Amino acid sequence: ACINRNSVVADNVVMHNGWHTGCTPSYHGRCVNEHDAGGGCGIMSSATSSGARFVNNLSFGNRCGHAAKDTFSIAGQEHTVSGNLIGVDPRFVKYLAGGGGDYHLRADSPAIDRGTSLDAPNADFDGVRRPRGGGYDIGAYEFVK
């Protein structure tokens, strides 16, 4: 078993993870029995982990196992879990499930100024200095008017 100690998971947007189906193919390769394959949560830790910090993340539309609920799956011991937004839409400019969308935050995003400076980079993916406004934003981009 892999042991994970003292990791930091901070300022992430984790969205639409764990949703997939399985297929029992027929002799001709077609799907004859589509079934719910469940899946892992967006953010999770194992029973062998300890001392991790899960802070100021946003989790939306994720699925844990076969349950259609948005939650973290945190096992192990002595973890810090605080400031996370669970089941909250990040309100991206243009979300596309397959990629290629615009994942900047809209002006009404609950992720604005809700991040932490803990291990945060000095700039976002566009090179914009962090923080702007009242604090760090959750996600890859700082909100810019």
Side-chain angles (χ1 to χ4, degrees), residues 68-92:
K69 60 182 180 181
D70 199 7
T71 183
F72 284 2
S73 177
I74 307 298
Q77 57 189 356
E78 301 176 14
H79 298 307
T80 301
V81 180
S82 67
N84 298 293
L85 302 175
I86 309 297
V88 176
D89 186 341
R91 298 186 189 130
F92 291 128

Side-chain angles (χ1 to χ4, degrees), residues 44-78:
M44 58 191 308
S45 69
S46 70
T48 59
S49 66
S50 66
R53 290 178 279 177
F54 300 92
V55 295
N56 298 73
N57 297 286
L58 187 151
S59 176
F60 179 67
N62 297 297
R63 184 170 178 177
C64 298
H66 294 282
K69 60 182 180 181
D70 199 7
T71 183
F72 284 2
S73 177
I74 307 298
Q77 57 189 356
E78 301 176 14

